[in-house]
Amino acid sequence: MKTAAPQPTSAPSYFSDGLTARTHAATVTLNGSTVAYWTYEPVQATSDTRTILVIHGFRGDHHGLLRVADQLPEMRVIMPDLPGFGSSEAFAAADHSVANYGTFITDFMAALGLGPDTVLLGHSFGSIVASHFVAAHPGTVTPLILINPIAAPALEGPKGIMTKLAVLYYRLAARLPRPLGLALLRSPLIVRVMSEAMAKTGNKDLRRFIHGQHHAYFSAFADRESLLESFTASVSSHVAEIADKLNLPVLLIAGEKDEIAMLPDQQRLAALLPDGVLKVIPGVGHLIHYETPEPAAGFIRSFLKDHPA
């Protein structure tokens, strides 16, 4: 099972030569569903080596955080495709809610023998899942890292109208005849418009890479029903609502130009955390994991040194 789409020979590589050697793909069956996951072993284990469990965002899969994992060669990084996305099956007998994704984390950690020294990292929708999991299961992981965290209600504020339009889009796609609904959800035009809106870099090669990644992986979902459930979960919760229950060190990594998880909301979230720190990367939006993995990895490395196991 490959971990990245092959790039044209004329395009610059956005992954190191050593990433493949670190990569181990596997599957595990949890509650009747097969979950695919990838482990990126440290090049050389040191006293600073930690195990980081990564929870990706909505409609993404493990590929999205590969550039961040690549920038942390001293860490052991474990990245599952969430149930219903990528190469993982949808939940066999549960809806795709924030709470049930939290149950998935519990079961996944137990299956892999991951203990309380595990670092939990969530990106975008993954920040909701990860933070709510920590709030409901204190002491299970430490610390918590949230990249482009969803810090405020999606249906309120300046972005509320666009979110409501997205709700209509997913509901319409779920109600149309299956071929039409899937065609709407997997429309290359819609995926490209979304990708163009989120990418902030002026580097043409990097933009081409980002669009290629979204085209290759953004439509890898199990079915319309699980996708609608996951989307509903993504716009029905946020991190700030349980911020006071996050009684562990929390690192927030925000993009200055993020139009989905806007900077003022990140600043308000940081003020609510009992033990939180906010790091802002200038010139980037909601795609820190694609556009600025180096500074993100630097913040993660420094944070973990300040909060050793």
Side-chain angles (χ1 to χ4, degrees):
M1 191 175 292
K2 296 183 179 180
T3 61
Q7 298 298 307
T9 55
S10 59
S13 174
Y14 287 98
F15 302 107
S16 73
D17 293 337
L19 183 64
T20 300
R22 297 176 57 200
T23 304
H24 300 277
T27 61
V28 61
T29 300
L30 302 174
N31 299 315
S33 298
T34 300
V35 173
Y37 69 95
W38 287 257
T39 302
Y40 304 87
E41 298 291 353
V43 172
Q44 183 175 358
T46 71
S47 58
D48 293 327
T49 297
R50 301 288 297 275
T51 294
I52 305 175
L53 174 59
V54 175
I55 308 299
H56 64 72
F58 176 70
R59 284 191 72 159
D61 64 14
H62 74 283
H63 291 95
L65 278 297
L66 269 180
R67 295 199 71 203
V68 177
D70 197 14
Q71 294 295 321
L72 295 167
E74 76 277 25
M75 303 295 175
R76 180 182 184 229
V77 182
I78 300 175
M79 302 199 298
D81 284 351
L82 287 178
F85 296 100
S87 298
S88 293
E89 296 176 345
F91 288 132
D95 64 342
H96 295 72
S97 64
V98 171
N100 285 333
Y101 276 123
T103 299
F104 159 75
I105 295 178
T106 297
D107 295 342
F108 184 79
M109 289 184 65
L112 271 63
L114 301 179
D117 58 342
T118 302
V119 180
L120 186 60
L121 184 154
H123 171 255
S124 190
F125 173 53
S127 74
I128 300 174
V129 173
S131 61
H132 281 248
F133 167 78
V134 169
H137 302 87
T140 307
V141 298
T142 189
L144 176 64
I145 300 170
L146 305 177
I147 300 177
N148 295 119
I150 306 302
L155 294 170
E156 299 176 8
K159 62 183 182 296
I161 294 176
M162 293 304 297
T163 302
K164 290 172 184 175
L165 289 175
V167 170
L168 293 175
Y169 164 73
Y170 282 102
R171 287 179 177 172
L172 175 62
R175 292 173 181 171
L176 286 171
R178 186 174 184 276
L180 289 177
L182 289 174
L184 179 62
L185 289 170
R186 292 179 168 140
S187 165
L189 175 60
I190 292 177
V191 171
R192 182 56 179 263
V193 168
M194 173 279 305
S195 189
E196 289 282 2
M198 289 197 295
K200 302 303 179 187
T201 179
N203 183 311
K204 292 182 179 180
D205 286 331
L206 181 54
R207 289 185 74 92
R208 191 176 299 115
F209 168 78
I210 291 168
H211 300 329
Q213 292 284 294
H214 283 143
H215 178 74
Y217 306 119
F218 200 68
S219 295
F221 52 86
D223 52 61
R224 294 182 297 165
E225 294 75 21
S226 62
L227 185 66
L228 177 59
E229 290 173 352
S230 297
F231 175 74
T232 301
S234 75
V235 299
S236 301
S237 299
H238 55 91
V239 180
E241 63 190 348
I242 45 82
D244 62 330
K245 297 178 181 175
L246 299 177
N247 294 305
L248 78 173
V250 180
L251 170 63
L252 309 177
I253 304 178
E256 177 194 23
K257 296 183 177 181
D258 196 335
E259 295 168 344
I260 295 174
M262 294 182 289
L263 186 55
D265 293 330
Q266 310 295 327
Q267 293 166 335
R268 284 189 285 270
L269 172 59
L272 294 173
L273 294 168
D275 185 7
V277 59
L278 171 64
K279 298 294 184 180
V280 180
I281 301 179
V284 67
H286 204 63
L287 302 182
I288 285 173
H289 53 311
Y290 281 137
E291 295 188 35
T292 56
E294 297 92 343
F299 290 139
I300 292 169
R301 183 177 292 111
S302 297
F303 183 70
L304 294 182
K305 284 185 177 180
D306 292 340
H307 301 90

